[in-house]
Amino acid sequence: MSDITALVSRLSGLGFSDAPVEHAPVENVEQWAEALSTVSGLPAKYTLSKTLIFKPKQPKSEAMAPVVVIAKHDSATNAKAISNELKLKELRFANDDVLADMFQTAKGSVSPFALANVSKEGIANVRVVVDRALLSDSTGNIAFHPLASSRTVFISATTLQSFIKSVEGLTHVTEMDFAAEAETATATKSEKKPSAAAAAAAAAAATASADEVAGVSKGGIDASKDVDFPRWYQQVLTRSDMLEYYDVSGCYIVRPLAYFVWQQIQEFFDAGIRSLGVKNCYFPMFVSSKVLEREKDHIEGFAPEVAWVTRAGSTELAEPIAIRPTSETVMYPYFAKWIRSHRDLPLKINQWCSVVRWEFKNPQPFLRTREFLWQEGHCAYMTEKEAMVEVYDVLTLYRRIYEELLAVPVIEGEKSDKEKFAGGVATTTVEGFIAATGRGIQGATSHYLGQNFSKMFNIVVQDPEDSGADRPKLHVHQTSWGLSTRTIGVMVMTHGDDQGLVMPPRVAETQVIIIPCGLTAKHSDEDRRAVTDACLNVEARLRAVGVRAESDLRELYTPGQKFNHWEVRGVPLRVEIGPKDLEKNSVLTARRDTFAKAPMALDGLESSIQLMLLTIQNDMLAKARKTFDERVKIVLEWSEFVPVLNSKCLALIPWCEREVCEDQIKTRSSRDSLGDEPEDEKAPSMGAKSLCLPSKQPTNPPIVHGETKCIQCGENAKRYALFGRSY
């Protein structure tokens, strides 16, 4: 029920007669109360409410059984108490996909009325918990958001109960006395007498969690990267102003700080591919179903993720149109049109665009999103040799982006047959590593497509080596390669710390932040002007030599607040200038990556700052590479494989390269890790997958063909393969 008119009509049949009131959109209870205070004609007595949707931990094989909690806004809705009452396991807030796909609602607009949107199959598994305090005669009318946070409707407890009963197929409804539960919990805690510090920490954590759910903006980072990595990652992205959540699940707003990183990558890569003779172009985002389905092996890999346009306005389209998940099938009919002779080869094009891949359960900003920015190159050659040269030339550019721009080490290699690009012959890759979680992550891929697509789309030329009248037609050899904004997420995860972002200087929008310091009430206006002028002078000097510098001269913020502001945003170098520094003709520098401070003379400042930024860039890569190298372990026995994974490392193993063995490795490593515990649907897989067959193979010990055995199945090993848990 996504129509407000239909909802009001339904409520009218249950005894409701008042129209919803309109007000500004709100994000939390405080804003809601403030918005209602500006509206006239409200009920004399009413109670604000909250509607929460939880998802229990359960095996993937079971149908999802969400829990909808309807309570007073100030009731302590303890997830553990609800779990115990319903005999469910580990309730967690449902993610945006569950809200959108099952309840057709979004964070901030959840209300009991979303129950009417659940399908007949799904509603049988939904459990509803109603706060007994809402049903009290003293409550008065209850305020809910009817479908959007910009409206409020006031209904009686009787109307609420009638509505719940009217939801066809809903059978699991429970009342809970949250006030009594809270009193019991308080009494229990009092008996245990926790320390004041522990109580304060618990209260802070609870407040922080509630603020994150409500979307409250904060300044610093209060989640630990090592303790709660998912929450840390979310906070770093949003509180640094890199990213903002959007009201379409799985989509995000890329803010200027992050988009600047993408622009630096674009400039570097564009220059690289232009030197290879590649030219930029743009193809439409829409694909007809006829074209998309021509290459079945290829589209099967993307079929669950394809988004379809089925209607224009109120008119149903005669034929659904897909939004590109990738562009092979978009471009190649036109390759066949443009390539008529071997003289038209090679054809080398690239486009910068966005693509949409819809079907997944757990979106993660920059890593796994429904729409993302990327580049995709598509080339055609006369021979396999020419195509393979380009495949590796582009892969080298990808490695350089990670290592030279983002200061992130990667391993070059080839994907297994199971993991290679759908419809391709071979896939090369650069693989990264997130040390905090011990998981590998695919950085970028460059594919040799062979003649698979040229045969499907009839991209042919006459054999230039044959001079006969009926020269045979040869299918061209093709490549495709792509890099996305996933790069930004990998960079953040690699370098960020508990204070926020740590930006490599080469991609930092602001490389140096200049902050006036050391000014007190004792200093004169002339002293203040001298410090301000010095800050602006240093900024101008640095900008003149190409350093991206900025002065923070905001008057209402203390130096400490400014330090925190720019530390969260990861600015590589801070320059502090105060009266005492000017007396010494120097400044004080502070590195973001190490927090090391050092004085620096104003004379020759430009070259000193440039050298320090280069040092920071190199040190960040060296630190990350050292961690990566230490976490890649050669494993020669299966008994060591899962313990290595559990120690947050990747494993290099002698491997037979058979797909059936790869499946067994994933199954066995997951089972050995979990035992009888069902795998959590929300968490990344515990099973290991092949990340790549590294280009640089270990030599100690070497693979001895015919003697070295695969550690999983005992068949002859062909090469070392890098296995690990991954994103």
Side-chain angles (χ1 to χ4, degrees), residues 111-147:
S111 74
F113 312 125
L115 291 167
N117 297 331
V118 182
S119 67
K120 291 181 180 179
E121 297 77 15
I123 197 67
N125 298 310
V126 175
R127 290 161 171 77
V128 174
V129 177
V130 182
D131 184 0
R132 198 164 289 159
L134 276 184
L135 307 179
S136 168
D137 293 336
S138 62
T139 300
N141 285 304
I142 309 168
F144 291 106
H145 289 311
L147 311 181

Side-chain angles (χ1 to χ4, degrees), residues 275-338:
S275 71
L276 299 177
V278 180
K279 297 180 179 180
N280 284 319
C281 66
Y282 185 79
F283 279 73
M285 70 168 65
F286 299 115
V287 196
S288 70
S289 57
K290 177 182 176 182
V291 169
L292 192 66
E293 291 166 3
R294 280 181 69 175
E295 217 301 294
K296 293 184 178 179
D297 287 344
H298 171 65
I299 197 56
E300 277 181 7
F302 292 103
E305 302 174 344
V306 176
W308 295 89
V309 179
T310 60
R311 187 164 59 182
S314 59
T315 305
E316 295 291 331
L317 298 182
E319 178 186 347
I321 298 173
I323 301 175
R324 62 176 168 229
T326 181
S327 294
E328 280 77 9
T329 56
V330 179
M331 294 182 173
Y332 295 164
Y334 298 92
F335 275 42
K337 181 178 180 180
W338 298 338

